[in-house]
Amino acid sequence: MSAADTNTGTGTTATGPEAAAWSTDPYADALRAGRGPLFLRRTDGWLLPLDVERWCARADAADLSALHRCEGSVLDIGCGPGRLVAALAARGRRALGVDVSEAAVERTLRLGGTALRRSVFDPLPGEGRWGTVLLVDGNIGIGGDPAGLLRRAAGLLTHGGLIIAETAPVDIDERVRVRVDDGRRPPPGATGSHFPWARLGTPALLRYGRALGWQPVDQWEVAGRPFVALRRSTARVTRQSAEHTNSAAVTSSQRARNPSVDRAAYGS
């Protein structure tokens, strides 16, 4: 996706069909109200409920089980309304959320977290230096290409960095096109923007991860929510060093455009 600079505190504005879809009124309205109903609707009409109330509440026991395993600075991809970033900040941890939704970023900032309105596929601060990448609340599905997202995470993490991902509670490996939907009957002719999405259970995530050099270091479940922690093998990390160098160059350029944002994220 392309990125256009802005002069706002949220940094670069995310663009593209996925950004437009998550910026639609049903999603923004649900976050501002702190409740649903809200769904991802597949092109065949099937609805996946989204747990807006939990997203807008404080971090729960399952969330904390993931946060306690974080290492170093934390990048929360698809941070939503910011409960995880805020919980980390309250504990004195260095954390940044990124989300394509303006409403999500606004709510994260109000909670005391740091967040940018940006896609994970846009240039991000600190590429190659994050200790942990979080992919919670089904966000392993972002972009509809789990392997591509894992490769992107490799360029964001420091050597030996950790991915903590929440997986679907069933054995599934599904790639679909969806749109954000509040479950109401739309006006005649009205349709939201569709974008690619994926749903992965733990076995599928482990298959994708191992093929790309990620090794599982922990698996657990709390309150019916399964999680996996993955670490990049040393050999694969070494081969990624050139990519990390290039990412650092991109980040340096981005910092020149948005110095205050990067200082906020890194305290430098």
Side-chain angles (χ1 to χ4, degrees), residues 128-208:
R129 302 199 299 276
W130 293 99
T132 303
V133 160
L134 288 176
L135 290 165
V136 179
D137 300 327
N139 285 334
I140 187 64
I142 289 173
D145 178 9
L149 187 55
L150 290 173
R151 283 191 289 267
R152 174 58 173 147
L156 295 169
L157 287 165
T158 188
H159 292 185
L162 198 67
I163 288 179
I164 296 179
E166 181 179 354
T167 58
V170 293
D171 187 0
I172 190 171
D173 183 359
E174 177 183 68
R175 256 61 61 80
V176 292
R177 292 189 65 81
V178 297
R179 63 181 173 87
V180 181
D181 193 307
D182 61 7
R184 301 173 186 170
R185 184 181 298 276
T191 57
S193 299
H194 287 84
F195 55 93
W197 194 256
R199 293 177 68 216
L200 266 66
T202 296
L205 176 58
L206 294 179
R207 286 195 301 272
Y208 285 110

Side-chain angles (χ1 to χ4, degrees), residues 39-95:
F39 307 89
L40 291 182
R41 182 186 290 272
R42 291 191 318 210
T43 52
D44 64 3
W46 183 85
L47 294 173
L48 173 68
L50 300 178
D51 199 349
V52 178
E53 289 83 355
R54 179 172 61 78
W55 296 353
C56 292
R58 292 180 179 272
D60 61 18
D63 297 327
L64 294 176
S65 75
L67 299 187
H68 290 159
R69 289 169 166 85
C70 289
E71 300 174 357
S73 57
V74 182
L75 181 65
D76 185 5
I77 295 173
C79 67
R83 74 188 190 283
L84 303 182
V85 177
L88 287 165
R91 289 160 175 76
R93 298 293 299 272
R94 187 176 298 177

Side-chain angles (χ1 to χ4, degrees), residues 226-244:
F227 297 86
V228 177
L230 302 169
R231 197 183 304 279
R232 193 81 158 160
S233 69
T234 302
R236 289 295 185 114
V237 167
T238 300
R239 286 198 290 274
Q240 288 291 328
S241 59
E243 179 182 341
H244 290 163

